[in-house]
Each structure stands twice: as C-alpha cells, then as structure tokens.
Amino acid sequence: MVAEKTTNEMYQVGKSIPKVDAREKVLGRAQYIAELTRPNMLFGAMLQSPYAHARIIAYDTTAAEKVTGVKCVLTGDDFEDHKMGPFIKDEGAIAKGKVRYMGEPVACVAAEDEETARAAALLINVEYEELPTVLSPEAALEAGAAVLHEDLADYFKVFEAIAENNLMSYTEISEGDVDKAWDECDLIVENVYETQAQNHLSLEPCGALAEVEPDGLINLWSANQSVFRVQANVCECLGLPMSRVRSMTPKVGAGFGNKMEAHIQPLCVALALATKRPVKMILSREEDFETVRARHPFKIRCKTGVKKDGTFVAREVELLLDGGAFADDSPGVLGNATLMSVGPYHFPHAKAFGKVAYTNHLRFAAFRGFGNPQVTFAGEAQINDIADKLGIDPIDLRLKNVLAKGQQWFGGQKVDSNGIYECLEKVRVSSDWDNKRKNSGENGIGISVAGHISGLLATGAIVRMLEDGTFVLNTGATDIGQGSDTVLTQICAEALQIPIDRIRTATPDTDASPYNWGTTASRVTYTTGRAVVGAAEDAVRQIKDYAAIVLESLADDLELREGGMVGIKGANKEVSFFEIAAMTHWGVGGPIVGSHTLVFDQSTIDPKRAVAKGMPFTNIGVFTFAAMVSEVAINQVTGKASAEGAWYAVDVGQAINPGLVEGQIDGGYAQGLGYALFEEMIWDDGRLANPTLMDYKVPGTAEVPYDIDTTIVEHPEPDGPFGAKGVGEITLVTVPASICNAITHASGVRLRKMPFSPERVLNGIIENEIT
Amino acid sequence: MTEAGYFDPVSVDEVVALLAADDEAKCVAGGASLVAMMNARLVEPSRLVSLRHVEELKKIETAEDGWLQIGALVRHCDVAIADELADGNQILSQAASLIANPVIRDMGTIGGSVGHFDPAADYPVALSALGAEIEIASEKGRRRIPVSNFFVDWYETALEPGDLITCIRVPPPPTGSTGIYEKLAKVKGDLGIAMVAVIMAMQGDAVSHLAVSVGGCGPKPIRLPEAEQALIGGSIDEAAIQDLVGKLSTASDPVDDVRASAAYRKLLIPRLVAQAIGQAKVNLRDGS
Ligand SMILES: Cc1cc2nc3c(=O)[nH]c(=O)nc-3n(C[C@H](O)[C@H](O)[C@H](O)COP(=O)(O)OP(=O)(O)OC[C@H]3O[C@@H](n4cnc5c(N)ncnc54)[C@H](O)[C@@H]3O)c2cc1C
C-alpha cells in the first residue's frame, strides 16, 4: 500500500524516487565483498574453538603448514596483546591464552584457494585445558563462578563502568520516588518476562579483503556499517596507527548491528600483513552464526502501578542480560534498554536498573532496536493486562498516559517532536480497531506503542562542486541497503535546488570521507542529513558570493532557483552553477567545497530530575514514535499463531523518501515477526545447536501478510534535516508486543516468554480450559 | 572427491555394479540432501553414481498385480500432480506438495527421500499409511520390502550397501476412500514438527478401512494396525477416536529438537489425529 503523506511540497524531499543504486542491484551488477578480487589474492580460513571455556596450552601447526598451497598459519602466539571494544576494551583479534565461547576463532590460515585454506585450518592442533563454564547471567553472577576476564579491572573503559568479576556493566536511572509511590496506586501488576537470542541474518555473511600496498598502507574492504569503526577496531587490536589503514566498502548486503563493530577484518589484515599478499575471507553461514554476534536474551521484571481511572503512577523495571564472552555493544544496549523501559509514557515515579553479565556464549550486541524491543514487549504486554483489569480499552489507556507535548523522556531529555498521540489515533482508525476489538472471532488484534532514539555521536559531510557545476557528496556513511545514499542525495539536492542526477554520492573511504560514526542507531538520515544540509549551505554561501560578482549584486539579494541557477530576487538576471564552476575552477577564488561536521550534543539525563548511574552515553538522540496494531489467527488444534495483518503509524518528523520509509516499516515488521514467532538461537551446553538456515527459521513470504498498512505521521524535528528523524529501528520495536497482545485477544492466553511458539500458545489454551 | 569418482550410468544393472564395486560409493538422485551433507562434511563418499540417465527409474506405471509403481527418480513436483494417485492414495500427492519449497521439489526424488530417511520427512508417513512396498535392486537381484519393515530406526533403513531403490509400490486405494495428510511446520516449507496421514473409507455408517500414521514423533512412522482394526465396522464415534489417539500418543517416542519439544509432540498427536479423522469423516459424508 502506498504511504499516505501530507506536507508542504518540496522540490526533492518527500518524493518516493527509486533508490539511486536500484538499477545495478536489480541487474545483479552491484559488487559485494564476496565478489571483489585482487591480483595474486589468497583466501583465509579459521579454526574455531571446540570448547566454551578453556585454557590454550599449545598449538601444533606443522600439518597445516605442510599442505600445498598454504602460505601462512597464525595462532594467538603470533598476535601482540592489544585489545579493542566500543565500551570496554576486552577483545583481541583472536583467542589468546584462552577461549571464551565455542566457535571462537583460535587460529587462521591463508592459502591459494578457499578449499585448501579451510581444509588446512582443520589440521591445526590445539591443546586445551577445559575450564568451568558459565552459560547464563545468573550462573555468571553467582559467587565463585568461573571468571571470563581475569583482567577486567585493568581494561580500558570509555565510560565509568560499574564492572567486577563477570558483571560487565550495571546501569540505573530513577525519577521521583518509586518506593513511596506504590502506596498511591489502586492497582499494581508485577511480572517476569523473558526473551531469546535472535540472529541478525543479513543475507550477505560477513567478509573482508585486505591488501598491503608497497608503501605499507593497508587497503581494507569489508562488509560493514562503518568504515571508521572498522579502521578503529583493526588498529586497536593489531596495534597499528590509524593512518596506516584505509578502510573502504563495497555494497553491503544488509547490516542490523552485526556489521557495526569488527568481525573478520582484524584476522584478514593480520594474514595480509604476514603473507604480503591480498587475502580475502568470507564467513560461511555457520561461521557467521557462531562467531559474529546476536541479540541479547533478556530477563525482565516489570512492575507498574496505576490509579483506578487508568492514570499511570509508577513503574519499576529490573533487567538481566546475557552479554556473552566480550562486551562489544552490551553496555550500550543495557543503557538504552534502561532508558526505554518506561516507554513513551509519563510516569511521575520510575526506576529502571539492570545488569549485563559475561557468559561463555557468543557476544551479544547491537541489533535493530538496541534493547528496546525486549523492554517494549514487557512493558506493553503489562499495560494490556492493566487495561483488561481496569476494563479500559487498551488504546484509550495509552492515549491517557502517553507523553504530552512538552513532557520529557524518562531521565529528563526534552522531546521536541512528538507525534505519539496522533500515531495512536491514526492506527485506531486504519486498523478498524473499535470494530475488530468487539468481534471476538478466531482472530485477535493487539496494540503496542514505542519511542526510539535516532542520533548519537559524530558525523560530517563534504559537498564539492565539479568543473561542470555538478556535485560529489561525501559523507562516509555506509548505505547498508536501507537507501541512505538516496536519502542523503535528496537532502543535498533539496538544499542545492538541483536534480538528483547532478549529485554523485561517494563511497565511504577513511582516506577521503569525513568522519562518520556509523550506520546504526537510526541515525544516518537525522545526523548525517544535518551535516549534508550544513555542507550544502556552506557551498551555497560560496556560490552566492561568486554569483554576486557575476551578477554585480549583493549575495544577500540572491536566491537559488530550481535546476542549478542563482538569480537576483525579483529580477530575471541569473547565473548557472555551470558558469560558477567554470569561473571558480579557472579564474576566480578556487573550486567550491562546502563542509560541515557535528556531534550530537543534547543531554540524555537532566541531573535536576533524574539520578543515573553507570550510563554508557551522555547524549543519545532525538525521539521517533510509532504505534502499531497486529492481527493474528490462532489454530486451536496446534496453538500456532499466524500473522494476518499489521497497521503502522510512525512519526518520522518528515519523510525524505516515503517509499523508503515504507521499506523500513515492511522490513522491520518481517524481522520483528520472525523474532516474535519463530526465531531463536538455541544452545546445547555451550554449543549453538541451530547455526544453519535449515534449523534456524525466519518468516518467508507465506508468513508475512501481503499488505502492511503504513501511515506516515510528520511532526518535524526542529534541528532535523527538513524536519526528518530516523525510522530504521522503531518499526521492529513494536512488533513482539503487538503480536503478544493480539494472541491474548484471540485466545485469552497471556505469554510472557518469547518466541510465541505453537507449544507455548497451546499450553496456555489447555491451561485456560482446565481453570 | 575428484572427477574420476563421478559416474553417469544409464541402466539399473550398471548402477548396481558400480555401487557393488565400492563400499563408500553413494548414488546421487536429486542431490538435495546428499550434496548439502557433503558440503557440511557429514558424508564424504569415495564415488558418486548419478541416477539421472537411468530411464527405468523415471516411470510411473501400473504393474500387473494392479499396484502403482513410482520410479525412484520421480521428483516431488511430479508426485504432487500425479493423476494415477486417486482417492485415499492422494495423500502421497499431498505429502509431496508440502515438502520444502518449489526449488527442492523440482530437485528431490521419492527414492532419494526414502533412501535418505530423515525422521521428519513427509513421504515415509504417507507410505506407511498406504502400506506401500519398496523395490530394491542389487547385484543379487531384486526384492520388495513392505514399508513397515523398511524403516528401521533413526536414519536407518533396511537398505544394505550396494542396494538401489528402483521404485515405490503403492496398492490400489480402498474403494471410496479418502485421504488426509496434515503437517505442522514452524514456517511453510520447513521439515515438520509432526505429521499425520489418514486413509479412511466407510460403508454407510460403518468404517470399512482405516489407516493412521504419525510422523516426526519417533525414529520412524508410527502405525498401530491392531488399534485401527478395532475401529473397523464401528461408527467411529468420539470414544473410539480417543481410544486410538491415546494409543498412538503412548506408542510415540519423540525427542526434544530445535523445532519443538517432545512434550509438545505428545500433546499434538491426539489433537492432530482426531482432527484428521474428523476431516476424513466430513469428506466421506460430503463425497469429496
Ligand atoms: C532445504 C530443504 C528442505 C527440505 N524439506 C523437506 C521437507 O519438508 N520434507 C521432506 O520430506 N523432505 C525435505 N527435504 C529433503 C528432500 O525431500 C530431499 O529431496 C530428499 O530427502 C532427497 O532426495 P534427492 O533425490 O535429492 O536425494 P539425494 O540428495 O540425491 O540423495 C539422498 C540420499 O539417498 C540416497 N539415494 C538417492 N536415491 C537413491 C535410490 N534410488 N536408492 C537408494 N538410495 C538412494 C543417496 O545416496 C543419499 O544418501 C528438504 C531438503 C532440503 C535441502
């Protein structure tokens, strides 16, 4: 269905133009990492740990080295003791001294072809001494549990981490006085919720290609969400200066947080340095499952107190996260989950706190929603229970309590653009809520709402005029398939008032692009878009200065005209970008380069309002809002729930490209549906039991309803580019809760553990029949 | 595996000779399962004997004794639309149409599925309800084994080294019978959590034929001929159905796996079977 849209017409913004790279992708000509080759290239492969926790006693690489075609074998002994990590620097390029999860890379090989490399890797003998394992956060935090990182206290941390033994991080935020507030409540509900590990499952597995230039520069291409994070991670864990690594990107076959921090790049670089030849490594699906990263399993205790009339009074949320063997983004996920755990509501009293623990699992990390889908599931399921107990319609109860204009987010950050109320009203109508809720047939419907951030950290843009008056836009932001090259081009074209095809978007390259923290946190449209507007305005200022000379006028009296012209306001006299380009390249001043950089700087915590401990970030982002209704059908014989419909209303500030907003909604829905109903990484005593697509099931076309209804709500973000804010994650955040609530409506079964498998639903149905 | 280990014979005799010459040899039909297992290094055959040019294995024909013989190389997509399968025997087509996805159904063969014998595979459940036979060729000649003796244990069949499945033999359907094949899968195209096949016929209000087979709930399809027999001649009321489904559930021996728990399968069997029998009754009454 075509998204609905209402705003003031703009020249390029607000138009659903096709993606700038659609053609090459549809034709199969776009190049991804697996397709890149370099002359004389070798292939890398790795050996993975067979133990979840073990000391490495010795390596024997002789058999592998003897294989014809093998050029080099590296083990932990070949690596110096350097460490990387976005929050806690606790991870080397390869296991050294000990292994901390089953599947962890312990050695690697470079050979003339992939088959030889893979076969040789299996010939490396490693002697281990097994150590006791900790396979749950509860076990990890028990007194006397085996410790994963004996040197945790000495590791460098980028924030004031509360960390000790297997406690990786503790975070707490509180406002008001929860403990006293319970007395004011007429109804208090408290439950425990549990969520499972989900795999990112990018169609394209992770891979990298590294090559050392004669002068020592390392060229590194990889599947990534940030060429700059790749550069930083590789340099940190290999002890290289950043000026020696040039990180670049081919097309990326999706990233959902899995390609933000390092995967195989450090090993690939190490092999290229050791062999002095280009080396490519592409993970198999199984290796990708076993060694990259996944969504955190959560245990959530959620307690909510309300007045008889439905007014929210207090909420307390306690979280326990499995962090896996390395910190990676875990402290950030815990911090964000804490911040999101009261949802887009006004609670006079609220407290959220939680722990993330090291365990002998694969690292858990960033994944679309960054801890928010888990806490939204708990909170929104509980609000429905409250609505049922009070006999209030779930949408009415939410309308009564969502953040009003001017109210702050939990922690104290001001919220400028807030369309949550309108989102709720829109889905109520589009889903035919009031009628469907009354008819208790086989199907059920459920609502959920959420807010999510878009923002974080630094970004930049360079807008450079070419000799003929066309432009190159360079931001360093990796387009991971979501369409940011297109959106940033539209923003730039709007600011310059020129057609899309006069702008070329440069591919990210740490040698040439301005810094960009990454394609993550729903941030590129919002933060990088702001930098693009700033850079384009800088270019326009210069263009007008030169136009003023040509037009014998004052720059202030000039205006941009559509199609690349500068004219005198109220007069016909004008000059083209072509002429300005020629003039600045060959005669006057110098070629035009506009640039702008920024770092997101709105504070998340207002110390006058809230108390926070162990927060991993200070300035997180602006807020996007969504409401969604899901419809499900329940098979009464098997308990199987199937999705029958979805209605979204999302406040994106301003849709730069409504078609791409819809794409994010459709994709977020499908991924959220998989998370809600089917997907689960299952460990059997430390071993991942389903690291293949044969055994790990995602929804296909038969499981996703054909028509996902989308309403775009636009409450402009004051400092967003043309009012825009992000949409990448919020579309997944609301899904599990709305499905869960729909299952309850359809069957009377309230599930508090994900995924909502046929087994869990059927057990609920049978239990209800008995009682 | 090198190219030297790949053979492309055209007759059954050649195939069995090639298989007999090497204990580590494997025949490859559609390759859907075998090649995936080779990629995962679960099997490393020393030689591959391709069946793709053996015309005898591609036929569907009625034998002199009236049984339908489906060649081992007949693909799932063709079984799914085979006109020769009528009345209750249509469960075989239903089972075929629910295997995996169109790509796999275009590759995979009935002989490959039966020979591979994944405990969650669809055909074995249907073949068990049908009372089918497996025809096998080897250097020693040809033999036929009833399905009830062919599927032995987890991934184990009566096949011996050097054996080639030549065809699957299906008896003529009971007059006026109907068939129901039900599969519960996590997502469409996945291997089933549990499968049920029912073939039933009635004369007036009395059951004249009943075969019920349950899959995915133990090492091999579960059939209880005695319990089925007890219902023949009766009107198949609720109590009779409950008796049968209870026995099937007791006879099952499911395990916990990545698709579902054993306990859930135990819970499912009576519900799925009762539903299938109920549906069969409706079909017979409505004459569909
Ligand atoms: C993604 C996927 C999903 C699947 N889903 C399902 C499903 O939902 N339901 C289901 O039932 N099956 C499923 N399967 C299995 C599928 O049905 C396979 O096609 C079938 O098991 C093998 O048939 P094939 O012809 O490809 O055999 P091959 O892969 O060629 O061979 C399989 C094995 O059988 C042996 N073999 C082959 N032909 C003969 C013969 N004539 N005589 C003796 N031995 C023989 C081979 O040596 C080999 O050991 C799935 C497979 C895949 C890859």
Side-chain angles (χ1 to χ4, degrees):
Chain A
M1 178 175 282
V2 175
E4 207 183 280
K5 215 196 75 74
T6 48
T7 32
N8 42 327
E9 271 305 290
M10 279 187 258
Y11 177 49
Q12 301 292 359
V13 161
K15 305 235 169 0
S16 294
I17 62 163
K19 280 187 190 177
V20 293
D21 55 1
R23 211 181 159 73
E24 55 178 311
K25 285 185 173 171
V26 170
L27 293 174
R29 292 195 181 137
Q31 293 226 310
Y32 295 83
I33 186 67
E35 285 150 319
L36 298 195
T37 60
R38 301 297 294 162
N40 217 18
M41 185 173 83
L42 300 171
F43 290 83
M46 63 190 187
L47 176 71
Q48 299 174 262
S49 162
Y51 297 110
H53 200 190
R55 211 165 291 294
I56 297 172
I57 307 297
Y59 303 96
D60 180 358
T61 59
T62 39
E65 274 157 2
K66 272 193 213 133
V67 175
T68 316
V70 168
K71 292 295 153 192
C72 137
V73 179
L74 299 178
T75 69
D77 286 349
D78 300 301
F79 289 76
E80 285 173 33
D81 200 8
H82 299 291
K83 291 202 155 56
M84 62 179 166
F87 288 94
I88 300 174
K89 310 231 174 271
D90 62 359
E91 185 167 358
I94 197 165
K96 197 172 161 64
K98 68 182 208 170
V99 290
R100 294 182 175 86
Y101 68 92
M102 205 178 281
E104 184 177 356
V106 285
C108 57
V109 175
E112 295 289 351
D113 61 73
E114 187 174 349
E115 227 184 328
T116 307
R118 286 185 176 277
L122 296 176
L123 297 176
I124 301 167
N125 264 317
V126 183
E127 191 189 324
Y128 297 95
E129 177 194 313
E130 273 191 84
L131 294 169
T133 56
V134 283
L135 296 172
S136 72
E138 289 90 346
L141 296 175
E142 261 173 33
V147 171
L148 270 87
H149 294 270
E150 293 84 352
D151 300 330
L152 177 59
D154 303 331
Y155 289 161
F156 183 81
K157 305 173 186 81
V158 306
F159 70 113
E160 274 187 45
I162 302 169
E164 189 181 25
N165 294 323
N166 288 329
L167 175 65
M168 186 194 291
S169 183
Y170 172 85
T171 304
E172 179 182 316
I173 308 172
S174 64
E175 274 187 21
D177 189 339
V178 184
D179 293 331
K180 283 207 188 118
W182 303 120
D183 288 344
E184 294 170 33
C185 302
D186 298 318
L187 173 68
I188 298 170
V189 181
E190 183 171 7
N191 303 101
V192 174
Y193 301 83
E194 241 181 277
T195 68
Q196 80 282 25
Q198 184 188 19
N199 187 265
H200 297 81
L201 216 88
S202 305
L203 266 189
E204 173 201 50
C206 290
L209 166 52
E211 157 189 81
V212 185
E213 298 247 10
D215 68 358
L217 176 75
I218 299 155
N219 289 323
L220 172 60
W221 295 264
S222 68
N224 68 78
Q225 294 175 229
S226 166
V227 290
F228 293 93
R229 287 304 304 154
V230 170
Q231 182 187 45
N233 281 314
V234 165
C235 293
E236 281 177 15
C237 73
L238 297 178
L240 297 166
M242 282 163 82
S243 53
R244 246 196 98 185
V245 173
R246 179 182 179 195
S247 167
M248 292 167 280
T249 189
K251 294 287 178 215
V252 178
F256 303 102
N258 49 332
K259 295 171 180 168
M260 180 63 188
E261 299 298 330
H263 41 81
I264 207 71
Q265 298 99 340
L267 289 190
C268 202
V269 168
L271 287 170
L273 284 169
T275 56
K276 301 192 170 55
R277 284 173 62 178
V279 178
K280 179 157 92 172
M281 281 181 93
I282 305 292
L283 294 184
S284 69
R285 180 61 67 188
E286 288 82 346
E287 289 168 336
D288 197 281
F289 258 101
E290 287 164 355
T291 68
V292 181
R293 44 182 66 80
R295 188 190 294 283
H296 291 84
F298 273 47
K299 293 211 178 69
I300 305 163
R301 183 179 62 79
C302 186
K303 182 175 176 185
T304 306
V306 301
K307 295 271 196 203
K308 260 200 287 291
D309 68 353
T311 307
F312 290 179
V313 178
R315 175 173 278 182
E316 184 178 84
V317 176
E318 181 179 358
L319 306 171
L320 182 59
L321 280 65
D322 186 338
F326 298 100
D328 203 89
D329 274 327
S330 280
V333 171
L334 173 64
N336 190 53
T338 308
L339 192 65
M340 297 294 142
S341 56
V342 300
Y345 297 108
H346 174 65
F347 275 96
H349 308 279
K351 179 175 177 180
F353 59 101
K355 293 175 181 171
V356 54
Y358 284 111
T359 69
N360 294 116
H361 283 145
L362 162 74
R363 68 186 77 61
F364 296 101
F367 191 159
R368 201 175 196 172
F370 215 67
N372 196 354
Q374 292 95 327
V375 294
T376 295
F377 156 54
E380 289 294 281
Q382 189 160 71
I383 285 173
N384 260 44
D385 285 347
I386 290 170
D388 289 349
K389 283 188 205 286
L390 295 177
I392 301 177
D393 175 87
I395 291 188
D396 289 337
L397 182 62
R398 286 172 172 83
L399 285 169
K400 190 178 175 71
N401 289 287
V402 287
L403 288 179
K405 295 253 150 57
Q407 280 180 331
Q408 290 131 297
W409 193 267
F410 178 46
Q413 188 182 332
K414 70 184 170 71
V415 180
D416 288 319
S417 144
N418 172 358
I420 184 65
Y421 199 91
E422 194 182 334
C423 287
L424 268 165
E425 289 186 315
K426 293 265 185 201
V427 285
R428 167 171 239 152
V429 175
S430 64
S431 67
D432 193 19
W433 172 267
D434 293 319
N435 276 320
K436 287 199 176 116
R437 198 70 193 175
K438 266 184 246 138
N439 306 338
S440 49
E442 291 260 301
N443 289 9
I445 54 168
I447 176 85
S448 75
V449 299
H452 193 76
I453 59 98
S454 62
L456 275 172
L457 300 172
T459 193
I462 297 169
V463 170
R464 193 156 56 84
M465 192 186 244
L466 303 178
E467 257 181 75
D468 62 354
T470 61
F471 291 82
V472 171
L473 169 64
N474 195 347
T475 66
T478 304
D479 186 331
I480 53 177
Q482 89 283 33
S484 59
D485 281 355
T486 307
V487 163
L488 296 176
T489 302
Q490 282 178 272
I491 291 172
C492 187
E494 183 70 44
L496 295 170
Q497 294 285 297
I498 56 173
I500 299 294
D501 63 8
R502 291 196 203 162
I503 299 169
R504 146 94 192 144
T505 317
T507 59
D509 176 344
T510 53
D511 264 13
S513 304
Y515 180 80
N516 189 308
W517 175 55
T519 303
T520 186
S522 303
R523 73 189 285 276
V524 175
T525 299
Y526 171 68
T527 58
T528 311
R530 282 173 63 183
V532 171
V533 170
E537 282 173 350
D538 185 20
V540 168
R541 251 188 316 275
Q542 299 171 47
I543 290 167
K544 282 187 179 167
D545 283 344
Y546 294 115
I549 300 171
V550 180
L551 297 171
E552 297 177 321
S553 156
L554 291 171
D556 283 349
D557 294 337
L558 299 178
E559 62 185 9
L560 282 190
R561 289 182 187 161
E562 281 179 16
M565 307 293 292
V566 185
I568 301 176
K569 288 177 197 161
N572 278 341
K573 261 179 94 178
E574 54 186 25
V575 59
S576 69
F577 282 10
F578 180 84
E579 289 162 273
I580 305 268
M583 167 181 168
T584 52
H585 275 82
W586 307 112
V588 183
I592 289 169
V593 180
S595 71
H596 188 64
T597 65
L598 63 104
V599 60
F600 182 81
D601 61 2
Q602 288 186 40
S603 333
T604 302
I605 301 294
D606 175 357
K608 289 201 282 300
R609 230 183 110 112
V611 180
K613 285 184 207 161
M615 279 296 279
F617 37 67
T618 49
N619 316 94
I620 189 163
V622 297
F623 291 88
T624 294
F625 296 94
M628 89 173 287
V629 170
S630 281
E631 181 170 344
V632 303
I634 306 283
N635 182 317
Q636 294 291 330
V637 172
T638 61
K640 186 171 169 171
S642 44
E644 299 290 324
W647 295 263
Y648 274 94
V650 188
D651 170 19
V652 299
Q654 158 74 49
I656 303 294
N657 185 319
L660 292 180
V661 169
E662 246 183 277
Q664 288 302 302
I665 291 175
D666 292 352
Y669 176 70
Q671 198 163 34
L673 184 67
Y675 182 39
L677 294 182
F678 313 114
E679 297 181 44
E680 179 169 21
M681 293 169 78
I682 297 169
W683 278 269
D684 179 7
D685 199 20
R687 184 186 65 92
L688 181 61
N690 56 344
T692 66
L693 288 176
M694 193 78 198
D695 289 333
Y696 182 93
K697 287 296 158 186
V698 294
T701 46
E703 282 74 31
V704 183
Y706 181 72
D707 209 353
I708 297 161
D709 185 88
T710 59
T711 306
I712 296 176
V713 173
E714 295 177 321
H715 285 245
E717 181 62 42
D719 67 1
F722 303 102
K725 47 192 186 179
V727 68
E729 293 168 280
I730 185 92
T731 59
L732 184 148
V733 172
T734 48
V735 183
S738 71
I739 301 260
C740 182
N741 289 337
I743 289 173
T744 307
H745 184 226
S747 65
V749 174
R750 165 59 72 199
L751 295 180
R752 298 196 173 89
K753 191 169 180 180
M754 290 175 58
F756 313 127
S757 62
E759 175 162 11
R760 292 193 176 127
V761 177
L762 185 61
N763 284 333
I765 290 174
I766 291 171
E767 234 168 74
N768 287 355
E769 278 167 4
I770 295 168
T771 52
Chain B
M1 266 287 308
T2 61
E3 242 171 77
Y6 185 82
F7 298 87
D8 225 353
V10 297
S11 72
V12 168
D13 288 348
E14 278 178 85
V15 173
V16 294
L18 283 163
L19 290 176
D22 186 341
D23 272 358
E24 303 283 294
K26 283 223 168 261
C27 53
V28 54
S33 293
L34 184 60
V35 176
M37 298 215 309
M38 287 169 65
N39 284 339
R41 293 175 197 269
L42 292 171
V43 288
E44 291 177 76
S46 54
R47 67 162 62 165
L48 284 181
V49 182
S50 169
L51 305 180
R52 64 184 176 151
H53 289 137
V54 186
E55 289 305 318
E56 184 198 321
L57 303 179
K58 298 181 186 172
K59 292 184 202 138
I60 301 184
E61 59 191 5
T62 307
E64 275 168 18
D65 60 2
W67 286 46
L68 188 70
Q69 305 199 144
I70 303 171
L73 217 52
V74 176
R75 298 175 304 161
H76 309 334
C77 58
D78 293 320
V79 174
I81 55 165
D83 290 336
E84 297 87 343
L85 291 163
D87 299 339
N89 285 3
Q90 285 177 11
I91 58 165
L92 200 61
S93 296
Q94 293 171 26
S97 69
L98 292 174
I99 294 174
N101 48 53
V103 178
I104 299 292
R105 290 198 291 276
D106 283 356
M107 291 168 76
T109 66
I110 191 164
S113 177
V114 168
H116 178 57
F117 186 39
D118 188 304
D122 289 288
Y123 279 137
V125 191
L127 293 173
S128 154
L130 290 166
E133 283 179 358
I134 313 295
E135 184 178 277
I136 296 164
S138 73
E139 288 240 288
K140 290 179 229 148
R142 300 213 182 193
R143 64 190 198 277
R144 292 170 181 172
I145 305 182
V147 159
S148 52
N149 296 337
F150 182 83
F151 299 117
V152 177
D153 207 339
W154 296 105
Y155 289 97
E156 191 187 331
T157 66
L159 286 178
E160 286 174 18
D163 277 352
L164 170 74
I165 297 169
T166 47
C167 72
I168 311 300
R169 289 170 39 83
V170 179
T175 325
S177 60
T178 188
I180 303 285
Y181 186 82
E182 282 281 352
K183 170 178 182 177
L184 173 67
K186 242 178 151 172
V187 296
K188 194 172 179 204
D190 190 16
L191 288 165
I193 292 170
M195 292 80 71
V196 168
V198 169
I199 300 173
M200 192 161 117
M202 294 183 86
Q203 272 166 1
D205 273 346
V207 179
S208 55
H209 179 92
L210 180 66
V212 178
S213 165
V214 171
C217 295
K220 54 184 177 176
I222 305 157
R223 257 199 84 176
L224 301 175
E226 276 178 31
E228 291 165 4
Q229 206 56 41
L231 301 193
I232 303 290
S235 68
I236 197 147
D237 55 15
E238 196 51 35
I241 295 175
Q242 284 312 316
D243 183 59
L244 174 65
V245 299
K247 284 180 177 148
L248 283 165
S249 192
T250 308
S252 70
D253 182 19
V255 293
D256 293 338
D257 62 25
V258 295
R259 288 182 171 76
S261 74
Y264 177 58
R265 291 182 165 99
K266 283 266 187 196
L267 210 55
L268 263 183
I269 295 168
R271 301 174 77 95
L272 280 179
V273 174
Q275 173 180 254
I277 293 177
Q279 186 59 49
K281 261 173 96 172
V282 171
N283 286 2
L284 290 169
R285 195 187 57 215
D286 297 352
S288 56

